[in-house]
Amino acid sequence: MEDHIKEHLQKVRQLSPLVHSITNYVVMNNTANALLAIGASPIMAHAEEEIDEMVALCGATVINIGTLDRFTIPAMVEAIRKGNELGKPIILDPVGAGATTFRNEALRSILEAGTPQFIRGNASEIMALSGSRSNTKGVDSADSSLAGRQAARSLAEEYGCIVCVSGETDIITDGEKEIWIHNGSPLMTKVTGLGCTATALLAAFVAVSDNPLTAAVSATALIAICGEIAAAKCQGPGTLQLHLYDTLYAITGDELVSRLRMEVVS
Amino acid sequence: MEDHIKEHLQKVRQLSPLVHSITNYVVMNNTANALLAIGASPIMAHAEEEIDEMVALCGATVINIGTLDRFTIPAMVEAIRKGNELGKPIILDPVGAGATTFRNEALRSILEAGTPQFIRGNASEIMALSGSRSNTKGVDSADSSLAGRQAARSLAEEYGCIVCVSGETDIITDGEKEIWIHNGSPLMTKVTGLGCTATALLAAFVAVSDNPLTAAVSATALIAICGEIAAAKCQGPGTLQLHLYDTLYAITGDELVSRLRMEVVS
Amino acid sequence: MEDHIKEHLQKVRQLSPLVHSITNYVVMNNTANALLAIGASPIMAHAEEEIDEMVALCGATVINIGTLDRFTIPAMVEAIRKGNELGKPIILDPVGAGATTFRNEALRSILEAGTPQFIRGNASEIMALSGSRSNTKGVDSADSSLAGRQAARSLAEEYGCIVCVSGETDIITDGEKEIWIHNGSPLMTKVTGLGCTATALLAAFVAVSDNPLTAAVSATALIAICGEIAAAKCQGPGTLQLHLYDTLYAITGDELVSRLRMEVVS
């Protein structure tokens, strides 16, 4: 696995994949900066009229419902349909799943139109999406990530996809295998959109990889470890975010692997 | 008052209130980061379809018209109606009031649908909203904050609410009492959205308080003082913003109170 | 030219021009911060209903199609029409031109409604807009800026405007004269929206100037040189962005001119 992680990081930097995002307004700037920092090329585009061309042009497409409205749902529905048609990976970030009926129904529409290859969320969102109960607290998780294990496996089986649950322990599962990443810092929860940033990085790794599980582990490890390094240097959440971009840009494959605290739990 | 300010800060950090914002695209990221830094939990959601649930779910709702369009007005109107119905506080930030007919009419629609518990703006905006004359200069104030005193009192009386005028001197009034905060730094005007950030922090304090005037004073003092500390450390507006988040995260109640330069003027 | 550049910088700081932007969601915060840092006053407003008043109120209007949707096109069309009517300069940033049919058609609608006084883009965008072939790579350029020379001249002649091509060498042309700026840093391409920031600064300079070519050279030189200074101090793209704002705020006319590496090529 360690060699694959190093290889993935190198490939993103060399191939500079185009990553298309239909995403929320809060994190557009952050996630574009994170993608540029790792060497990828971000495009934010949500107009229904250009979705087919954008999906075709890019290596992967993120669908993130953070600041959802009815004007954007058709573009999300079309993106997953077109992605499936062309064999382009779709990464779904169900921000605030379970918080409102509107979000739940939009997620249902999206998932009826196609199958995502990856779903990443916090435990509350993953539990809400899988239909298991959760104490939703807006867009932040009310549950520890480990509480989302079973829901993640169910979702992964249901859609034949990889599910990532972010939290104190990051969980990545394809429904059978389950990998835990113990890196990261609690201070990362005090910067908005680092979950969404994890989703964006995942898209970049997926775009250059033919091993979905390894790509997901690599992207998850990368942001957790860079966040951990940034947290060690920073004076608070403001400086953490800066150091995160600097670290994403500068980290070597060797440093990444040397800090990795990974556990294969099944 | 000093003890109440310390208590409010502590309560926000302990209770981590959910703050709902229908806000402008320029400041979504900033205000989310400021809310997280003080320990609150931000949700940005503007879809009419989920407004009722969001207002019900959260401790307070911000309505900020900075990048207004006709698609979002119905959500703002519904938010104030629902907030009033449920007894949830609504904080109105009338960005650019007076600059265009469209903004003035949208504000009229919102204020016909319900009553805000708090209004925060710069002097030009508060004067425009109260119907008194002002030299509007886009979204930045063309007037010193003290020029907005009378307009603030009128508005507070008219709506039975608290009005905050940001500027060199921050003014907080309930129409009778008037409190001035002399903290802050002129460099804060060179960072976009710090007025909107003050509004967001106000919402967090209001959500955990049963004393509206004290909550408003606490939030206003917090950002002014943290901005002042950040300005003293920074090399310019870029680094000021960072240090502001770091300071919001780290400041103690004692430090906050020791730096407070407050004046009760009536 | 050097004296004009110093004079322009001083004028922006003294007159604090209002700059209106109909721009993309990724860069709204950045560009507002850059405008504030140089002393201008930004307004982001995209509602069709207030476009005429905003164009009339402000010194210049930016039209940036980065996150285009059909709801915003009428406002862009009206802005260029009104700007032409009132003699207010329009600065067009054709983000992602050539990437999709939707963008190309929107650009055609805008350019049928009026004439921009300035167009700024990367080489791929300028080549796509002029109708010459280009290897579009999403919103990042697939071409070196010098590859866009001929396209820039053609566009400048066609519209009687100034065209700026950003890249390793920045090119500014009015169709006859051509000026190259050799400042900047490759690390600037790892921060999102610095091209859009160049466009925003251009609008501020244009708003206070009666010499379009010199205004364009001044704005282009300012961001390239401040980016170069910031890159020399930073640890990566995160810290680069911060230092950029600090430098835009603090740089003197003398420092600007002393670092200028300009070439008049025709």
Side-chain angles (χ1 to χ4, degrees), chain C residues 44-108:
Chain C
M44 310 287 160
H46 63 282
E48 211 182 329
E49 293 86 346
E50 65 179 359
I51 288 300
D52 281 6
E53 284 172 276
M54 284 296 178
V55 169
L57 186 66
C58 294
T61 290
V62 169
I63 300 176
N64 174 314
I65 67 161
T67 52
L68 190 70
D69 59 38
R70 68 176 175 278
F71 307 107
T72 317
I73 296 172
M76 295 175 171
V77 165
E78 179 55 19
I80 197 166
R81 195 201 64 73
K82 189 69 178 179
N84 283 189
E85 182 191 312
L86 299 180
K88 298 272 187 169
I90 299 292
I91 299 91
L92 178 65
D93 192 331
V95 180
T100 66
T101 309
F102 180 61
R103 290 184 188 230
N104 293 343
E105 286 178 358
L107 287 167
R108 197 171 311 132

Side-chain angles (χ1 to χ4, degrees), chain C residues 9-47:
Chain C
L9 179 64
Q10 200 181 1
K11 264 188 157 174
V12 170
R13 287 176 176 164
Q14 276 172 356
L15 302 177
S16 189
L18 281 172
V19 175
H20 171 219
S21 297
I22 308 176
T23 191
N24 75 69
Y25 301 118
V26 182
V27 305
M28 282 191 181
N29 190 269
N30 307 36
T31 53
N33 274 328
L35 285 167
L36 287 170
I38 61 161
S41 184
I43 304 179
M44 310 287 160
H46 63 282

Side-chain angles (χ1 to χ4, degrees), chain A residues 56-104:
Chain A
L57 186 66
C58 294
T61 290
V62 168
I63 299 176
N64 174 315
I65 67 162
T67 52
L68 192 69
D69 59 37
R70 67 177 176 279
F71 306 106
T72 317
I73 296 173
M76 295 176 172
V77 165
E78 179 55 18
I80 197 166
R81 195 201 63 73
K82 190 68 179 181
N84 283 190
E85 182 191 313
L86 299 180
K88 298 273 186 167
I90 299 292
I91 299 91
L92 177 65
D93 192 331
V95 180
T100 66
T101 309
F102 180 61
R103 290 184 189 233
N104 293 343

Side-chain angles (χ1 to χ4, degrees), chain A residues 25-27 30 66-71 99-103 136-140 187 189-192 235-242, chain B residues 15-18 25 28-29 32-33 36-37 39-50 53-54 57 71 242-243 245-246 249-250:
Chain A
Y25 302 118
V26 182
V27 305
N30 307 36
T67 52
L68 192 69
D69 59 37
R70 67 177 176 279
F71 306 106
T100 66
T101 309
F102 180 61
R103 290 184 189 233
T136 297
K137 196 198 160 193
V139 296
D140 294 325
L187 196 59
T189 64
K190 300 298 177 196
V191 179
T192 195
Q235 285 84 49
T239 36
L240 187 151
Q241 185 163 19
L242 281 200
Chain B
L15 301 177
S16 189
L18 281 172
Y25 301 118
M28 282 191 180
N29 190 269
N33 273 328
L36 288 170
S41 183
I43 304 180
M44 310 288 161
H46 63 281
E48 211 182 330
E49 293 86 347
E50 65 179 359
E53 285 172 276
M54 284 295 179
L57 185 67
F71 307 106
L242 279 201
H243 290 310
Y245 298 135
D246 287 357
Y249 178 76

Side-chain angles (χ1 to χ4, degrees), chain A residues 16 18 25 28-29 32-33 36-37 41-50 53-54 57 71 242 245-246 249, chain C residues 25-26 30 67-71 100-103 137-140 187 190-192 235-239 241-242:
Chain A
S16 188
L18 281 172
Y25 302 118
M28 280 190 182
N29 189 268
N33 274 327
L36 287 170
S41 183
I43 304 179
M44 310 287 161
H46 63 281
E48 211 182 330
E49 292 86 347
E50 64 180 359
E53 284 171 277
M54 284 295 179
L57 186 66
F71 306 106
L242 281 200
Y245 298 136
D246 286 358
Y249 178 75
Chain C
Y25 301 118
V26 182
N30 307 36
T67 52
L68 190 70
D69 59 38
R70 68 176 175 278
F71 307 107
T100 66
T101 309
F102 180 61
R103 290 184 188 230
K137 196 197 161 192
V139 296
D140 295 325
L187 196 57
K190 299 299 176 195
V191 179
T192 195
Q235 284 84 48
T239 37
Q241 185 162 21
L242 279 201

Side-chain angles (χ1 to χ4, degrees), chain B residues 178-245:
Chain B
E178 190 176 321
I179 294 166
W180 291 3
I181 308 275
H182 295 290
N183 297 93
S185 157
L187 196 58
M188 294 171 75
T189 64
K190 300 298 177 196
V191 179
T192 195
L194 292 194
C196 302
T197 302
T199 302
L201 298 186
L202 181 53
F205 277 74
V206 163
V208 299
S209 168
D210 46 17
N211 186 330
L213 190 67
T214 314
V217 170
S218 302
T220 304
L222 177 64
I223 183 153
I225 290 169
C226 290
E228 185 177 289
I229 295 172
K233 281 189 198 168
C234 76
Q235 284 84 49
T239 36
L240 187 151
Q241 185 162 20
L242 279 201
H243 290 310
L244 177 61
Y245 298 135

